[in-house]
Amino acid sequence: MNDKKMESSPPFHEEEIPLLSSVDHLKTGNSSDMESHSANHQGTGYGGISKKPEATGALVEIRDYARGECPLNLYNLPIDFQVKFGRMHYANISHVNSPIRKTLSQIIDFSEDRKEEMTYSRRLALFLMKYNWYYKKKSRPQVVSPLKKQDAILRSFSDLVEEEEESNNLEDEIEQPQVVKVNPISLEKAWEYFEHVTLPRYLLKPTDPRYLIKCNNTQVESGEYSPQSSSYPKISYNKFKALYSKNMDRVEPGESDHPTALYPAIFTPFSQLGDFGLGIGLYFYNLRAMAILIFLVGLVSYPTAIFYQSDAYQTTNGISMRNNNENSIWLTWGSAICFHKKWVPCPNCTINNFETESEYRFATAYDGTTAPFALKNMCTPPTFSIFIWNFLAIVIVTIGIIFISKSQDKHLEEMDMNEQTTQDYSVMVSNPPRDAYDPEEWKFFFEKWGHVTSCTVALANDQLLEALVKRREIIRSVELLHPPGTVITENYLARSAAQNEVLMGLSLMGNDVTSLFFNFVNQTARARGLAQLRYPVHTVFIVFETEKAQRQCLTDLNCGKKTIWNNETEYLPRDHIFKERVLEVNEAPEPSEVRWIDLNVTFLSRVKLVAYIMSAFILVTTMLCKVVVICHRQSAYLTGFVISGFNTLFPYIAQYLTTLEKHASEGHVVASIFLKVGLFRILNTVLVVNWITPFTSTLDSSKSNLIPSIAIIFYADIITSHLSQLLDISSHIKRHVLAPRAMDQDAMNLKMTGTWFDISIQFSNYIKIVFLTFFYGVVYPEAYLLAAVTLVFTYSMDKFSLMRSWRRVAKLGPTLATYGKFLLFCSLLALVTMSAYAWSGFPYDNLCKSATETVGSFHREYLGNHTLYNWTLDENQIKNKPIRSQEPLSFMGPNSAFPLEPIQESDAVYYYCNQDLLSIGRFPPLPRENDAWMTDEQRKMVTILGLTSLTILLAAAFSGSWALHGILRGIFGDRGTYKACGEDMKKNFSNLDSKCVYIPQANSAYFSYPLLACDVRNIDEDLLEWNNPYHCYSYYNLTLDLKEMLGQKKVNDKFILDSVTHWPPNDTL
């Protein structure tokens, strides 16, 4: 196959534009030819030729510099200015964006979006723009979209290149920065950016009535609609489902070649959520499946809630005690809270037996006898018939989790088959030879499996890329301190910094000009030095034209780690050895998932950083949990909302801690955040409340005790988290307050990038809800229905946010779902084990009835009438506070007293016994002979659950050992563990509607699009993941910065910069 290497972008559709390389060429060119050329290109869009540059806000004046100094922000200035400095080459022109290379009829103009298809936020903004307090339109001239203007490719060169007389006063030139006239910024364009770049959109089908309207046809199918019509076609749900239920093609950000529409916020088919990445698709699948499962379990557990609510549980001698308690709250309906309590003789009880709850559970008769008494829960223990419902719920959960786990794998396969992405065609070489720079030799090696479409050779130049990114961010910070169009040179920046230092003093902190200049000099010197080194090859990404080639390659090169580490070439055919090396070849992640700056970090460095960060994580977690403990002593209401608030706050802390780590892919970053946030939320929400609540207060109705706290956590989660997500206050402030006051268009667009979110945080919230439900399901059966409602709310709100407010994220693989599957089985083990401990703990009072002793036989000091006094640890602080004798069974607070009913000789005597099997570490929680508090039915229930928990633990251990065996086999075996997922869809990579290759780039908070870390001038722009209609790719190209810094110094790019090579197949040339 004689493939032609792609040396430049595809030609213009209308007519090729001649190479413009210098101002001298412009001066000597024939003006009539230029005018003719300008006329031929009228209406081609951005950066076109115009004899009247004033009409589009082009520059009015260009000043030549005495020494020809190139501005630092050259590529943020008009194309005219770039031409002045000879930087606007053919590749730059042809790579400004795809609309430049197409005629006007082929462009979808974002400014012509119909009102009916806009978000309500955009409609509100367009309405408010007429008010000066919202958007000062007078100071921001109306900008006509470059896609609508009848401009040509370049400005009128005859007007552009008129030389002024060179200034004799260089000082004046440096003192006052030159400001060129640029296109005024537009809030309308920022909202276009929000809806066409930030928010996800799908490709309209030709059979959709909206398609023809967007294509500016005069009528559609029946002639019912027209572009000028005031009505807009509304698609019914049934018609939408018929059109898109099986296939919605998500388009790349900024797509303007074909008609698109926003994904429906509510009615987007579940089957199409895989368009956002396998990780997000599996997250929504888990949410929906678990909501259904927990709802079914809630229905099965409903009889248990009815029993707890009935008089059969709360009644003794025909008297219901539920309505006599003033501390009960409606949130705890159907819980195991026991309202029937009684003070009973307990001869061996001491104040130390009840620890923190002694002031409520322990009292003495302060009438000369000092006989000790303890508070006994008198509620009827649940019977075996009630236990059957709980055990049935456990069986349903077990079957459901196994089903979810199995169907998740099937669903993953279906999503992978429905959504063809670059990952399906790509492989990654993790151990290439350090000197394998030539992409042609990589192409020659891998072409034995099929046509190689693209090759990316990534070098170990992460420090150089980091310096270039920081330098560009500094330049951007300086730009934001000046009016748009300010020409910023290094001399001007130095002069400004010096003046600022004289006036304000030296400051190396903050965002003032002086500190920015010092940082700029530092990063520039650093980049210049690093650019003179030679960097070895670190990773190679290969994109095949077919899935079959990728799968066959991975199968043939599937080697064990030991074989790769020892370079045991005898295990592979000779033609599978690359330059005497066994390659480590794996399926590559998605291009957007690769973190190019952190790609070169070694494993040991990564482990060291993670260890430091985990230490900080433990410290922060301990501090926040301590705050929860303090709040819990005050009020359960306060505790619930504090816990919910910390669950919302901690992800930002975890995200910051994770930025200090170094990860090669976004999948590893997401996994790290997931572990931190997941562990914190389980600790903060599930375990801390259990640890700080005394065992004997488990069934208490006080608002500071266990069950009321759990109920409030659920309701706080439903209300606070979802309400804050729906309101999205911070993002609305950015879009409606900060964006209209931004300094330039890119800064305005940055305010429109959407709400920050991480799918790992959403996944951890889902796991937290499941853990909380299973952990306390026995004593609070209503938790199942509350959890089902919470998951339904979460599913709806997250789906809405994904379509309408969240920012773009990398397409992630199924790593999180794999972790989630493991945690689901952990939650199942927690359900069974905690159920056993919960049933064993009834009646939760640490009192056992004596089988042989009565008051009359051994403890006659209890006979008669007594007045009980509750006391603190300091007996000198005892105060007599008698309460009404009509309420002998009501809750008794600290430092209070009341008369006790007369004690008879036949009354039972109790003694202290520890009923908390979890605190003594007994596993499995099987009953023993000395567990005197358990009834016969209770022993049977605990035995069944104890053995079940042991069985599940052994099954989990077996499954874990089998997984470990697979890992060890992949390390020490001759062959690896690769297995293809799904079927070969037999679709070529070049024929995909949305495709991209591995382009090294770096995300920055200062730019609305990634910064490019390689030269893309010879790459078809359709292979990039994004398209900015208002900036050329040169603006984001870091390699041009490096070439400007190095000047005339000769440096071989292939030894310091990553390279990307594209070989289109013959049928696409």
Side-chain angles (χ1 to χ4, degrees), residues 5 20 25 30 42 72 103 148 155 187 327 334 480 496 521 526 613 699 740 749 762 780 886 1005 1027:
K5 182 177 178 180
L20 305 176
H25 173 76
N30 189 305
Q42 290 293 324
L72 299 175
T103 61
K148 293 178 62 178
R155 306 289 189 258
L187 188 58
N327 292 319
L480 294 177
S496 299
V521 172
R526 182 185 176 205
I613 300 304
L699 305 186
N749 290 347
Q762 309 306 120
Y780 189 40
Q886 296 94 315
N1027 171 43

Short mmCIF file of all heavy atoms in Angstrom, two decimals, residues 5 20 25 30 42 72 103 148 155 187 327 334 480 496 521 526 613 699 740 749 762 780 886 1005 1027:
data_model
loop_
_atom_site.label_atom_id
_atom_site.label_comp_id
_atom_site.label_asym_id
_atom_site.label_seq_id
_atom_site.Cartn_x
_atom_site.Cartn_y
_atom_site.Cartn_z
N LYS A 5 1.86 10.42 2.88
CA LYS A 5 1.92 11.10 4.18
C LYS A 5 1.27 12.48 4.07
O LYS A 5 1.46 13.20 3.12
CB LYS A 5 3.37 11.24 4.62
CG LYS A 5 3.52 11.90 5.98
CD LYS A 5 4.96 11.93 6.40
CE LYS A 5 5.13 12.62 7.73
NZ LYS A 5 6.53 12.68 8.17
N LEU A 20 1.83 33.38 2.19
CA LEU A 20 2.23 34.73 2.61
C LEU A 20 3.27 34.57 3.70
O LEU A 20 2.97 34.12 4.78
CB LEU A 20 1.01 35.48 3.14
CG LEU A 20 -0.18 35.54 2.16
CD1 LEU A 20 -1.35 36.22 2.85
CD2 LEU A 20 0.20 36.27 0.90
N HIS A 25 7.02 40.53 0.74
CA HIS A 25 6.20 39.94 -0.32
C HIS A 25 4.92 40.74 -0.51
O HIS A 25 4.46 40.94 -1.63
CB HIS A 25 5.87 38.49 0.05
CG HIS A 25 4.90 37.85 -0.89
ND1 HIS A 25 5.25 37.42 -2.14
CD2 HIS A 25 3.56 37.59 -0.76
CE1 HIS A 25 4.20 36.89 -2.76
NE2 HIS A 25 3.16 36.99 -1.94
N ASN A 30 1.50 42.60 -6.63
CA ASN A 30 0.67 43.42 -7.52
C ASN A 30 -0.64 43.73 -6.83
O ASN A 30 -1.38 42.84 -6.45
CB ASN A 30 0.41 42.63 -8.83
CG ASN A 30 -0.25 43.51 -9.87
OD1 ASN A 30 -1.28 44.10 -9.63
ND2 ASN A 30 0.38 43.58 -11.04
N GLN A 42 -14.71 37.04 -1.18
CA GLN A 42 -15.70 37.71 -0.36
C GLN A 42 -16.64 36.67 0.24
O GLN A 42 -17.09 35.76 -0.44
CB GLN A 42 -16.51 38.69 -1.22
CG GLN A 42 -15.71 39.89 -1.67
CD GLN A 42 -15.33 40.79 -0.50
OE1 GLN A 42 -16.10 40.94 0.42
NE2 GLN A 42 -14.15 41.36 -0.54
N LEU A 72 4.46 39.41 22.58
CA LEU A 72 4.28 38.14 23.28
C LEU A 72 2.90 37.56 23.01
O LEU A 72 2.72 36.34 23.04
CB LEU A 72 4.48 38.34 24.79
CG LEU A 72 5.86 38.84 25.23
CD1 LEU A 72 5.87 39.11 26.72
CD2 LEU A 72 6.94 37.82 24.86
N THR A 103 -17.52 27.56 2.10
CA THR A 103 -18.34 28.69 1.67
C THR A 103 -19.39 28.97 2.71
O THR A 103 -19.68 28.16 3.58
CB THR A 103 -19.01 28.36 0.33
OG1 THR A 103 -19.84 27.22 0.50
CG2 THR A 103 -17.97 28.09 -0.74
N LYS A 148 -21.04 35.49 9.43
CA LYS A 148 -22.09 36.13 8.63
C LYS A 148 -21.54 37.22 7.73
O LYS A 148 -22.14 37.59 6.75
CB LYS A 148 -23.14 36.73 9.57
CG LYS A 148 -23.94 35.70 10.35
CD LYS A 148 -24.93 36.37 11.29
CE LYS A 148 -25.94 37.18 10.53
NZ LYS A 148 -26.93 37.80 11.42
N ARG A 155 -7.16 41.03 5.17
CA ARG A 155 -7.50 42.43 5.00
C ARG A 155 -6.89 42.96 3.69
O ARG A 155 -6.06 42.31 3.05
CB ARG A 155 -6.99 43.27 6.18
CG ARG A 155 -7.43 42.75 7.54
CD ARG A 155 -8.93 42.99 7.74
NE ARG A 155 -9.30 42.70 9.10
CZ ARG A 155 -9.90 41.59 9.48
NH1 ARG A 155 -10.19 40.66 8.61
NH2 ARG A 155 -10.21 41.41 10.75
N LEU A 187 -21.16 39.45 24.41
CA LEU A 187 -21.80 38.52 25.33
C LEU A 187 -22.64 37.50 24.57
O LEU A 187 -22.80 36.36 25.01
CB LEU A 187 -22.66 39.28 26.34
CG LEU A 187 -23.25 38.45 27.50
CD1 LEU A 187 -22.15 37.78 28.31
CD2 LEU A 187 -24.10 39.34 28.41
N ASN A 327 -40.11 13.56 72.64
CA ASN A 327 -38.92 13.71 71.81
C ASN A 327 -39.03 13.02 70.45
O ASN A 327 -38.11 13.04 69.68
CB ASN A 327 -37.69 13.14 72.53
CG ASN A 327 -37.33 13.96 73.74
OD1 ASN A 327 -37.38 15.17 73.70
ND2 ASN A 327 -37.00 13.29 74.83
N GLY A 334 -41.79 4.28 61.56
CA GLY A 334 -41.45 2.92 61.15
C GLY A 334 -40.08 2.46 61.59
O GLY A 334 -39.61 1.41 61.14
N LEU A 480 -4.88 40.29 30.65
CA LEU A 480 -6.10 40.62 31.37
C LEU A 480 -5.97 41.90 32.19
O LEU A 480 -6.98 42.43 32.65
CB LEU A 480 -6.50 39.45 32.27
CG LEU A 480 -6.90 38.16 31.54
CD1 LEU A 480 -7.20 37.05 32.53
CD2 LEU A 480 -8.11 38.41 30.64
N SER A 496 7.23 48.23 32.54
CA SER A 496 6.08 48.33 33.46
C SER A 496 6.42 47.74 34.82
O SER A 496 6.05 48.28 35.86
CB SER A 496 4.87 47.61 32.86
OG SER A 496 4.50 48.18 31.64
N VAL A 521 10.13 35.93 33.36
CA VAL A 521 11.57 35.77 33.10
C VAL A 521 12.04 34.40 33.55
O VAL A 521 12.80 33.71 32.85
CB VAL A 521 12.37 36.88 33.79
CG1 VAL A 521 13.86 36.62 33.70
CG2 VAL A 521 12.03 38.24 33.19
N ARG A 526 13.82 29.16 31.98
CA ARG A 526 13.69 27.71 32.21
C ARG A 526 13.36 26.98 30.92
O ARG A 526 13.95 25.94 30.60
CB ARG A 526 12.59 27.47 33.25
CG ARG A 526 12.38 26.01 33.62
CD ARG A 526 11.20 25.87 34.56
NE ARG A 526 10.91 24.49 34.86
CZ ARG A 526 9.73 24.04 35.24
NH1 ARG A 526 8.70 24.88 35.36
NH2 ARG A 526 9.55 22.76 35.50
N ILE A 613 0.13 12.80 50.06
CA ILE A 613 -1.23 13.33 49.93
C ILE A 613 -2.18 12.54 50.82
O ILE A 613 -3.09 13.12 51.44
CB ILE A 613 -1.69 13.28 48.46
CG1 ILE A 613 -0.76 14.13 47.59
CG2 ILE A 613 -3.11 13.78 48.34
CD1 ILE A 613 -0.62 15.56 48.02
N LEU A 699 -31.78 2.83 70.34
CA LEU A 699 -33.23 2.87 70.17
C LEU A 699 -33.87 4.08 70.83
O LEU A 699 -35.09 4.13 70.95
CB LEU A 699 -33.87 1.58 70.72
CG LEU A 699 -33.34 0.26 70.14
CD1 LEU A 699 -34.15 -0.90 70.66
CD2 LEU A 699 -33.35 0.28 68.62
N PRO A 740 -20.48 39.32 31.76
CA PRO A 740 -20.71 40.61 31.10
C PRO A 740 -19.66 41.66 31.42
O PRO A 740 -19.59 42.69 30.74
CB PRO A 740 -22.09 41.04 31.64
CG PRO A 740 -22.75 39.77 32.06
CD PRO A 740 -21.64 38.91 32.57
N ASN A 749 -15.58 33.81 27.70
CA ASN A 749 -15.91 32.41 27.43
C ASN A 749 -15.56 31.51 28.61
O ASN A 749 -16.23 30.52 28.87
CB ASN A 749 -15.16 31.93 26.19
CG ASN A 749 -15.69 32.55 24.92
OD1 ASN A 749 -16.76 33.16 24.93
ND2 ASN A 749 -14.95 32.42 23.84
N GLN A 762 -19.72 11.93 41.96
CA GLN A 762 -21.11 11.46 41.85
C GLN A 762 -21.18 9.97 42.19
O GLN A 762 -22.11 9.52 42.86
CB GLN A 762 -21.63 11.70 40.44
CG GLN A 762 -21.45 13.12 39.92
CD GLN A 762 -22.03 14.15 40.86
OE1 GLN A 762 -21.35 15.02 41.37
NE2 GLN A 762 -23.33 14.05 41.10
N TYR A 780 -33.92 0.81 60.92
CA TYR A 780 -34.61 1.91 60.25
C TYR A 780 -35.02 1.46 58.85
O TYR A 780 -34.45 1.88 57.84
CB TYR A 780 -33.69 3.13 60.18
CG TYR A 780 -34.36 4.40 59.71
CD1 TYR A 780 -35.65 4.74 60.11
CD2 TYR A 780 -33.70 5.27 58.86
CE1 TYR A 780 -36.26 5.90 59.68
CE2 TYR A 780 -34.30 6.45 58.43
CZ TYR A 780 -35.58 6.75 58.84
OH TYR A 780 -36.19 7.91 58.41
N GLN A 886 -46.63 11.34 87.88
CA GLN A 886 -47.54 10.73 86.92
C GLN A 886 -46.81 10.22 85.68
O GLN A 886 -47.38 9.52 84.87
CB GLN A 886 -48.60 11.75 86.47
CG GLN A 886 -49.52 12.21 87.59
CD GLN A 886 -49.00 13.50 88.21
OE1 GLN A 886 -47.80 13.60 88.47
NE2 GLN A 886 -49.89 14.44 88.46
N ALA A 1005 -6.58 26.72 33.28
CA ALA A 1005 -7.70 27.50 33.80
C ALA A 1005 -7.76 28.88 33.17
O ALA A 1005 -8.76 29.60 33.33
CB ALA A 1005 -7.59 27.63 35.32
N ASN A 1027 -12.95 22.75 18.15
CA ASN A 1027 -12.80 23.76 17.11
C ASN A 1027 -13.29 25.07 17.67
O ASN A 1027 -14.42 25.19 18.14
CB ASN A 1027 -13.62 23.35 15.88
CG ASN A 1027 -13.69 24.47 14.87
OD1 ASN A 1027 -12.70 25.13 14.59
ND2 ASN A 1027 -14.88 24.70 14.32
#
